[in-house]
Amino acid sequence: MKKTITQISAFSFWFIYNAFVGKLILHYLLNLEFIPASICYIFIIVLPFILFFEIFVKILLLSTISSKLKIVPVQLESLSQIDIKTFKYYTNTLESLGFTKISDLELSESSLTVARIFSHPKHFCFAEVIQTPGRSAVFCAIGSALEKEWSVSFRDNSFIHAIVYAFLRRPKGIIVVKQGVTPEELLRSHLKFRQKIMRDLNLQLLPDISIEAYFDQSQRARIGQRKALWRKSVIIGLLEMGLFNFKSEVQKSEWLGDYARLAVKKG
């Protein structure tokens, strides 16, 4: 329904622009006289494409990210196409590191994602074991919430998508991917980096590791992604997606947001 409304709106915009608005703008520009007529005509041709991308394409992208993330409890073993063996490996390993399982969840969006959530009573962080059934490998993410809306997530067996990098990255949401490391190494790296950013930016850890806190953090991250997308130029984002393939493997595997800039400034 939203897609149909957007398509109708786009067609209406195109018709009104060509019939009225474009002609009025062209008439105004030509009357300025100091702008060459050829530049005026080129501008009138290009302008609707810019507006189309920056308004209607952005609306379509926003429609794929609901303002409220749907998270519901689930029996993991009852779902099809789930890699139960890998889930059990992560569960046993994380529990041996001091994590406690708190829930199995479905995160419903454009595609279904399932997650097993753990919390660590000593280190005050969450661990997630995540899979999109039938579409991707299982991976583990260890995350901590800091004050002033900062968050740190370390992941294994995963990667940052070009579209996520271009449109959904958050200035205070740090993501680091360490391919192929063990959960023990992932936790060690996470805690070391977390301590560094807390020291560099004078931040405190948020110690609440309840399931309610997990829901709240997930919702805040979703709101942050929508805000980032709303502020983002679609054309610039598309250029960044195209340039993403030319980045080094290190650049593709981490997003440090505003951390590096602020750390240098404070130093």
Side-chain angles (χ1 to χ4, degrees):
M1 184 62 178
K2 289 183 180 179
K3 187 175 181 180
T4 302
I5 293 174
T6 303
Q7 289 174 341
I8 294 173
S9 300
F11 176 80
S12 300
F13 163 78
W14 206 265
F15 175 79
I16 293 172
Y17 179 86
N18 287 320
F20 306 104
V21 178
K23 293 179 180 179
L24 290 174
I25 296 175
L26 178 61
H27 179 72
Y28 172 77
L29 292 176
L30 291 174
N31 283 338
L32 293 177
E33 295 184 352
F34 63 85
I35 302 177
S38 59
I39 300 297
C40 294
Y41 282 106
I42 291 173
F43 178 76
I44 291 301
I45 293 172
V46 172
L47 180 60
F49 292 96
I50 295 175
L51 294 176
F52 176 78
F53 276 104
E54 297 299 341
I55 297 175
F56 294 105
V57 172
K58 182 173 291 187
I59 290 173
L60 282 175
L61 289 172
L62 282 168
S63 69
T64 65
I65 307 174
S66 62
S67 57
K68 188 172 183 180
L69 182 63
K70 292 176 61 179
I71 305 177
V72 295
V74 67
Q75 280 291 112
L76 197 66
E77 289 77 9
S78 67
L79 300 176
S80 60
Q81 297 181 306
I82 296 297
D83 187 348
I84 295 297
K85 182 178 179 181
T86 303
F87 267 93
K88 286 183 177 179
Y89 158 74
Y90 276 119
T91 299
N92 293 335
T93 306
L94 289 170
E95 287 179 343
S96 72
L97 294 173
F99 283 94
T100 301
K101 175 189 168 185
I102 55 177
S103 188
D104 289 340
L105 303 171
E106 283 184 355
L107 293 78
S108 300
E109 198 53 51
S110 56
S111 61
L112 176 68
T113 298
V114 295
R116 175 163 288 175
I117 312 302
F118 302 80
S119 62
H120 201 296
K122 178 182 177 182
H123 298 307
F124 301 112
C125 57
F126 290 103
E128 304 166 290
V129 182
I130 300 172
Q131 182 186 10
T132 300
R135 291 185 55 188
S136 63
V138 183
F139 72 92
C140 178
I142 296 178
S144 295
L146 309 177
E147 62 179 353
K148 300 180 183 178
E149 299 187 357
W150 283 88
S151 64
V152 180
S153 177
F154 271 56
R155 306 171 182 181
D156 73 342
N157 197 29
S158 180
F159 56 91
I160 300 175
H161 296 273
I163 190 170
V164 173
Y165 173 84
F167 291 104
L168 302 180
R169 65 185 192 263
R170 296 178 293 125
K172 294 184 177 181
I174 294 174
I175 297 175
V176 178
V177 178
K178 289 189 167 292
Q179 290 282 2
V181 302
T182 65
E184 182 179 6
E185 292 171 315
L186 194 68
L187 176 61
R188 188 186 306 117
S189 298
H190 173 82
L191 295 176
K192 182 178 179 180
F193 184 90
R194 188 181 76 178
Q195 188 62 34
K196 177 175 171 55
I197 185 176
M198 289 171 61
R199 182 179 63 250
D200 290 344
L201 301 186
N202 193 26
L203 297 172
Q204 296 297 316
L205 177 68
L206 299 183
D208 190 350
I209 52 172
S210 64
I211 190 64
E212 292 78 14
Y214 174 82
F215 290 156
D216 181 65
Q217 291 171 24
S218 299
Q219 181 60 37
R220 288 177 181 273
R222 175 53 50 94
I223 293 172
Q225 286 182 327
R226 285 180 61 86
K227 286 182 179 179
L229 178 54
W230 183 253
R231 293 192 294 261
K232 186 75 176 185
S233 164
V234 174
I235 294 175
I236 292 176
L238 291 173
L239 289 174
E240 288 180 342
M241 282 184 64
L243 294 173
F244 185 76
N245 291 329
F246 297 98
K247 290 182 174 292
S248 67
E249 291 303 314
V250 173
Q251 290 173 318
K252 288 181 180 180
S253 64
E254 64 180 26
W255 164 247
L256 301 182
D258 288 344
Y259 165 60
R261 176 178 60 82
L262 292 175
V264 170
K265 186 177 179 180
K266 283 181 176 290

